[in-house]
Amino acid sequence: MTAPQQQPDTLFPRVSERYDDRARYPRGIAYTEGQYLPISEAKISILDWGFLHSDATYDTVHVWDGRFFRLDLHLDRFFSSVSRLRMRLSQSREEIAAVLSNCVALSGLRNAYVEMICTRGVSPTFSRDPRDAENRFLAFAVPFGSVANEAQMADGLHVIISDVQRIPPASVDPTIKNYHWLDLVEGVYQAFDRGGDTVLLRDQAGNIAEGPGFNVFAVKDGALTTPERGVLPGITRRTVFDLCARLSLKAEAAPLTERALRGADEVFVTSTAGGIMPVTRIDRAPVADGRVGPVTKRLSSLYWEMHSADEWSTPVRYPAQDKNDKRTETGGLSQ
Amino acid sequence: MTAPQQQPDTLFPRVSERYDDRARYPRGIAYTEGQYLPISEAKISILDWGFLHSDATYDTVHVWDGRFFRLDLHLDRFFSSVSRLRMRLSQSREEIAAVLSNCVALSGLRNAYVEMICTRGVSPTFSRDPRDAENRFLAFAVPFGSVANEAQMADGLHVIISDVQRIPPASVDPTIKNYHWLDLVEGVYQAFDRGGDTVLLRDQAGNIAEGPGFNVFAVKDGALTTPERGVLPGITRRTVFDLCARLSLKAEAAPLTERALRGADEVFVTSTAGGIMPVTRIDRAPVADGRVGPVTKRLSSLYWEMHSADEWSTPVRYPAQDKNDKRTETGGLSQ
């Protein structure tokens, strides 16, 4: 379109009938308001308060080798977050589980990152009263992504400790999974400025809190510590506690000082996006000998073994092979 | 659509080609990626980090009787916010001004609420690195809305002081206008629970900060005080300072205690959405005699007089009358 100010005074730009989005997207399938769509067609109104006020909650579950990992825990947390924001889902837990499975099945993805979202929605009059809005449920499945790439998984992440404070619980309850990430984004840019891969933010007391989408653990003399409050109680974090119980390793949620983190024998971060990921440098200084430690390695291998166990995972129901090929094409639509 | 789990095992839901949004919207016109659209068709990708991480900034200017009010100040603040989030706009200041004017003109609205938005955008690979995303500019014009309705403008708002803390500057810089509103939304629900119209949040020191989309002023013995830090430096707030200079009224930005607010002679809140709005009750107790005060009335009437002055406002260029009728129909599309 020619820029408005270049037009003769008597002419105004045309109003298009439909939004033509020219951006490129990853492969994937989304669900909204009863419709399954290629990711490239999955939109939300610019008037949705989930966008304009970040008045939304979400949860993320992953699929590995065709199986959801600990889906029940993610659904529990999602329903809890939704009700604590005083939102209502019109779908039952079973319906949402089916929607998530369908997003993965229709995308043909065997390893997927699956997100379920509830937004405050839109009020037809643009009323500022959140009670006037119609809450919306959305979901999507895209290829599995990780906080750490292959090299970082092998050699460990270089983490920077930022002076940006994580948004405190007194302002936004971190146990309600939310999209208030500007503090984390600023921290990530600080990390890049200082040559780091990612960042850890501190709480108001100056203790370590969390990073963009992950919790952190310090290992010292065989015992694990992860920050107690002011962080998202991650499902991978919880899984580490479950694994430590099996291995009779001492693990506790307690305040974690910067000094304790820097002096740890091993440090790793945990996220649905990547699992258990080693940290071998903090602000350029090596953690212990700067190599990925034995506890991190042991927990990480056990974590991935759990993905095939019925006790921890649920199979996705995929279409039959001939259908599956179609899905792949469908996925192709959203490139 | 029949719910997925009600389908025979061999069948999967169909993937639609386009998103069919059945929600109702106010009248208005939006702009994105070179296209002008009825609000009902104005969407953003669900993978845009402006939605998924609230990684976005915005500004809101209003049009009254066909004129933008202090547009330059809003554009200054918007460009400053964008650069401080390390985003880039592909449009010049003049192009953005033209887009905003076109949104209003094409909507046919004489009184409008006009929002300009820059989001981190989408990265084609869903990479978590914000540097991989393509920043997006959006804008829209909808009918003018106010924090206070007619009755509240006449009799004053009933404000509740919440125990939710406003997100602190150490986490998110409030001078970068942002969508991190979950603290404000929780506060608004607390206000409704207690019979209030809206809410004021406090800062970490326990002093008054701001409310959802507005600043607050206390008038005592003819002098005005508004919170100094931890708040958005609102354009209406600044306009109050300009008016006070004209009227030789003492006005300062300084810490405002809860006690000082409750003991004030007059209290009012300021927002682009409504201007200068009286507060006559705080937590059920009347402010002074519980009536709208003379300073509030004087400032409010001066504020609206400024809207027709060339010094403070800029005319929107509307299409000729016959075109204008078409626009009205266009607006009608987005009902």
Side-chain angles (χ1 to χ4, degrees), chain A residues 54-329:
Chain A
S54 196
D55 192 355
T57 186
Y58 72 110
D59 217 286
T60 298
V61 59
H62 70 281
V63 167
W64 194 253
D65 195 16
R67 301 174 72 90
F68 282 103
F69 186 67
R70 310 199 86 172
L71 179 58
D72 282 341
L73 295 183
H74 288 282
L75 289 172
D76 290 344
R77 188 172 61 182
F78 181 58
F79 275 83
S80 153
S81 297
V82 167
S83 65
R84 284 155 76 194
L85 288 183
R86 310 204 207 186
M87 295 176 180
R88 267 209 205 78
L89 290 163
S90 52
Q91 294 85 353
S92 70
R93 185 181 170 103
E94 294 63 33
E95 285 172 316
I96 286 175
V99 164
L100 300 179
S101 184
N102 284 333
C103 286
V104 176
L106 292 168
S107 70
L109 295 163
R110 301 291 304 179
N111 301 323
Y113 177 96
V114 185
E115 197 157 317
M116 61 201 94
I117 305 166
C118 184
T119 72
R120 189 70 60 189
V122 168
S123 46
T125 61
F126 203 52
S127 147
R128 294 166 156 265
D129 185 337
R131 297 169 301 183
D132 295 342
E134 293 149 15
N135 302 166
R136 289 191 180 192
F137 171 71
L138 314 159
F140 66 85
V142 292
F144 182 78
S146 171
V147 169
N149 60 34
E150 241 174 77
Q152 292 163 339
M153 287 301 277
D155 304 334
L157 289 156
H158 177 198
V159 168
I160 299 301
I161 297 176
S162 168
D163 54 6
V164 177
Q165 240 178 50
R166 183 61 176 125
I167 294 170
S171 298
V172 179
D173 181 349
T175 68
I176 299 174
K177 201 166 161 71
N178 66 78
Y179 289 134
H180 286 35
W181 271 52
L182 279 180
D183 51 345
L184 298 163
V185 171
E186 170 58 19
V188 164
Y189 273 107
Q190 286 186 1
F192 295 152
D193 292 344
R194 302 180 202 166
D197 299 319
T198 188
V199 72
L200 281 169
L201 268 55
R202 287 173 299 191
D203 61 22
Q204 286 169 279
N207 292 323
I208 300 297
E210 62 188 345
F214 54 78
N215 294 112
V216 61
F217 283 80
V219 186
K220 185 71 177 177
D221 304 326
L224 288 76
T225 306
T226 191
E228 183 182 13
R229 281 182 291 96
V231 300
L232 175 81
I235 306 298
T236 315
R237 174 179 180 265
R238 171 169 170 171
T239 301
V240 168
F241 280 98
D242 296 334
L243 291 174
C244 286
R246 284 192 175 189
L247 299 171
S248 312
L249 280 173
K250 182 161 177 281
E252 67 168 353
L256 178 62
T257 65
E258 201 177 318
R259 185 197 177 92
L261 186 76
R262 296 185 193 274
D265 301 329
E266 301 181 34
V267 173
F268 60 83
V269 296
T270 59
S271 173
T272 289
I276 295 168
M277 298 164 278
V279 173
T280 50
R281 275 189 300 164
I282 298 174
D283 293 324
R284 292 211 173 80
V287 175
D289 66 359
R291 296 221 203 80
V292 179
V295 175
T296 305
K297 282 182 182 163
R298 180 91 180 96
L299 290 170
S300 185
S301 61
L302 272 176
Y303 172 80
W304 288 107
E305 281 170 26
M306 292 167 72
H307 285 64
S308 53
D310 289 335
E311 175 189 356
W312 305 98
S313 63
T314 327
V316 171
R317 188 168 54 85
Y318 289 92
Q321 191 46 50
D322 64 316
K323 282 215 190 72
N324 201 356
D325 297 336
K326 284 207 200 66
R327 297 302 164 236
T328 313
E329 287 160 32

